[in-house]
Amino acid sequence: MWYFTIRQDDLSNAQYRTLQKEARLTEVEIFNEPYDNLCVFEVEREKYRDFVDTLDLEGLRYEVVSERPSRQDLLERMR
């Protein structure tokens, strides 16, 4: 599996729905101010290339890792 992290505010509703259809699982990690809420998309290895193509075509910034980041990991990246 691959885990893509995208800031929730960077996504339009249409982009979110499109990515949600391509992902196996979508989770939203909610943080308090001053941190942004994050969307974590779990994508199967076979769909990695298609998912990256969609993100790149939409011009979205993302981080990708092969293991599910913990809430603490996500928070550390924002500090």
Side-chain angles (χ1 to χ4, degrees):
M1 292 294 173
W2 291 98
Y3 299 88
F4 292 82
T5 305
I6 303 170
R7 283 183 16 175
Q8 188 177 26
D9 291 345
D10 290 348
L11 295 169
S12 69
N13 286 336
Q15 289 170 323
Y16 181 78
R17 284 191 304 273
T18 298
L19 294 173
Q20 211 174 17
K21 289 177 185 175
E22 293 185 31
R24 181 172 184 234
L25 178 67
T26 303
E27 298 176 72
V28 177
E29 289 285 349
I30 299 174
F31 295 97
N32 292 326
E33 296 270 345
Y35 303 108
D36 297 313
N37 294 336
L38 300 174
C39 296
V40 179
F41 296 92
E42 181 179 317
V43 177
E44 295 171 347
R45 292 187 184 278
E46 302 80 34
K47 296 187 177 194
Y48 175 87
R49 181 178 290 146
D50 293 335
F51 200 82
V52 169
D53 287 346
T54 300
L55 292 171
D56 290 344
L57 287 172
E58 293 290 330
L60 294 169
R61 293 183 323 160
Y62 59 90
E63 291 183 25
V64 63
V65 293
S66 60
E67 292 184 25
R68 169 69 166 95
S70 69
R71 183 173 172 80
Q72 188 63 33
D73 293 337
L74 295 170
L75 186 58
E76 287 297 321
R77 289 184 202 162
M78 291 189 283
R79 289 185 177 157

